[in-house]
Amino acid sequence: MNRRVVYTRGGLPADVLTVIEEPEPAAPERGQVLIRTVAFTVHPGDLQAIEAYPGKAAQPVPAGLEATGVVEAIGPGAAVAPGVEVGGRVTVFPQPGAWSQWIVADAEAVVAVPDELPDEVAAQMLANPLTALMLRREAQHHVAFGYDGLLVQTAAGSSVGRLVTGVCQSHNLALVNVVRSDRGASDLRRRFSDVPVVSTAHPGWADEVRKAAGGRPVSVAFDPIGGNLAEGLLDLLTPGGKLVSYGLIAEEPISVHASTLLNKSLTLRGKNVGRWLSEASAERRASDVATAKQIALGLKDQFDVAATYGLGELADAVEHAVRPGKVGLVLVRP
Ligand SMILES: NC(=O)c1ccc[n+]([C@@H]2O[C@H](COP(=O)([O-])OP(=O)(O)OC[C@H]3O[C@@H](n4cnc5c(N)ncnc54)[C@H](OP(=O)(O)O)[C@@H]3O)[C@@H](O)[C@H]2O)c1
């Protein structure tokens, strides 16, 4: 039997997710790869999608988009990426239904895992590194980024935020990190001693960011929170600045008067890695995957795992995945 995580309506993941049993998949069909899953990641974004699912589904919706495992069989005519072979370790993303003991994946979503990466890193090898790459690319559209312009990012201690920091460090891109607690700030300082960190727990945090900028223009801000915090970032941006919104953690909307945008010629941009597969050319995807692997290899120590659970502990896993103060992602070993 195959055990698979599904939901049939939107709502709190701990309430609506269930594990069903179904027959093991048969041999992969044309263009497909059959994978025995070893671990999958519970991304906060997966849970947001489940929560926001509108109404009731006619059929159970398979959950999850990223997982790592071992190739059991390759279907006829499957154009697999280099290194994908029977018995080899792979990661899939974006593959709907990745939270399952067996995955029948489209060949284009299957990527070989370098031997140097343990399963814990392999399970997070694509979604978050590709997000960090997508954000960097978006920042680079700003003329000052990479020159005198400075980047500010909120939720900087997040799994994505640590990769953004590592990428900025390797490419000598000026960054000020923003977190919401002194504990988070000291954890980040320990990891990246030469990147300034400011905590919004202090009322004067925006001035602390300006001070850390040392006179450089605050050109770009990355923000997965939204709401009041994003408004604070709009205040911080210097004329011509750009806010890149990539998450929706805050419940309140981002409220901005048109004069704020007009007077400083600001740009607001939303970015979503879910659109990467459909929007990028095959060549760009292959090159991005190669970069994602480089990020995983170079920043192995930043792929923390907060905890590992079994499929039978799914409710605990989804609760842990959004627990304040946790560092790293929650894994499930099915
Ligand atoms: N657009 C995309 O394509 C894309 C792709 C990947 C991720 N994301 C989004 O990026 C965010 C981070 O993902 P992740 O996987 O890196 O998450 P993660 O490792 O679970 O980290 C979550 C972070 O958010 C912080 N946080 C939570 N609520 C907050 C609040 N109200 N105010 C300030 N900080 C808060 C936490 O801080 P504490 O440590 O203080 O609790 C933690 O640092 C998520 O919202 C996710 O949906 C978007």
Side-chain angles (χ1 to χ4, degrees):
M1 293 303 270
N2 178 41
R3 298 179 75 209
R4 169 188 295 289
V5 183
V6 298
Y7 54 104
T8 50
R9 62 182 169 90
L12 278 180
D15 296 341
V16 301
L17 287 174
T18 51
V19 179
I20 58 165
E21 293 203 342
E22 58 183 21
E24 263 179 36
E29 292 179 7
R30 202 165 180 78
Q32 294 180 328
V33 177
L34 177 64
I35 296 159
R36 182 172 46 77
T37 309
V38 172
F40 64 74
T41 316
V42 181
H43 289 288
D46 296 325
L47 302 179
Q48 285 155 8
I50 293 161
E51 221 169 321
Y53 186 85
K56 276 195 144 195
Q59 298 288 333
V61 185
L65 290 174
E66 181 170 40
T68 195
V70 175
V71 174
E72 292 287 323
I74 297 175
V80 293
V84 174
E85 57 192 22
V86 172
R89 297 165 66 227
V90 291
T91 293
V92 288
F93 174 81
Q95 176 61 45
W99 294 3
S100 174
Q101 288 177 318
W102 291 89
I103 301 171
V104 184
D106 295 332
E108 64 174 358
V110 185
V111 172
V113 172
D115 290 342
E116 301 90 319
L117 294 183
D119 291 341
E120 289 75 10
V121 179
Q124 342 172 21
M125 185 184 82
L126 294 175
N128 284 352
L130 288 170
T131 302
L133 174 59
M134 166 189 87
L135 292 173
R136 178 182 170 203
R137 191 169 280 142
E138 187 57 41
Q140 263 166 343
H141 291 156
H142 192 292
V143 288
F145 187 70
Y147 296 90
D148 60 331
L150 183 112
L151 170 68
V152 174
Q153 68 161 344
T154 56
S158 71
S159 305
V160 171
R162 295 192 306 276
L163 300 186
V164 167
T165 306
V167 167
C168 284
Q169 236 185 5
S170 339
H171 296 273
N172 211 12
L173 301 167
L175 167 69
V176 176
N177 275 330
V178 175
V179 296
R180 65 168 162 179
S181 69
D182 290 337
R183 177 210 53 78
S186 56
D187 179 60
L188 267 190
R189 276 188 205 107
R190 185 180 53 74
R191 290 168 186 263
F192 304 100
S193 56
D194 50 355
V195 179
V197 191
V198 168
S199 165
T200 57
H202 305 278
W205 68 270
D207 285 334
E208 285 182 48
V209 173
R210 288 188 190 95
K211 195 168 155 210
R216 297 177 75 154
V218 182
S219 302
V220 183
F222 293 163
D223 175 54
I225 308 293
N228 301 332
L229 188 56
E231 289 162 38
L233 293 174
L234 290 172
D235 277 345
L236 264 176
L237 286 170
T238 39
K242 169 152 69 171
L243 171 66
V244 185
S245 165
Y246 73 99
L248 34 81
I249 291 176
E251 290 188 6
E252 76 278 4
I254 303 173
S255 158
V256 49
H257 193 274
S259 62
T260 309
L261 302 180
L262 290 177
N263 294 344
K264 289 203 286 180
S265 292
L266 299 181
T267 302
L268 300 183
R269 186 83 159 104
K271 289 302 288 181
N272 181 354
V273 76
R275 303 181 77 86
W276 168 80
L277 186 68
S278 54
E279 287 179 354
S281 65
E283 292 75 19
R284 168 51 66 79
R285 288 201 305 269
S287 145
D288 285 357
V289 163
T291 306
K293 283 189 196 180
Q294 287 308 319
I295 292 174
L297 287 164
L299 296 172
K300 245 189 286 185
D301 294 347
Q302 303 305 331
F303 287 75
D304 298 51
V305 171
T308 304
Y309 292 89
L311 255 190
E313 304 165 303
L314 192 66
D316 295 331
V318 299
E319 177 275 317
H320 198 160
V322 290
R323 197 182 289 171
K326 85 168 162 69
V327 176
L329 292 178
V330 166
L331 289 195
V332 173
R333 283 194 176 267

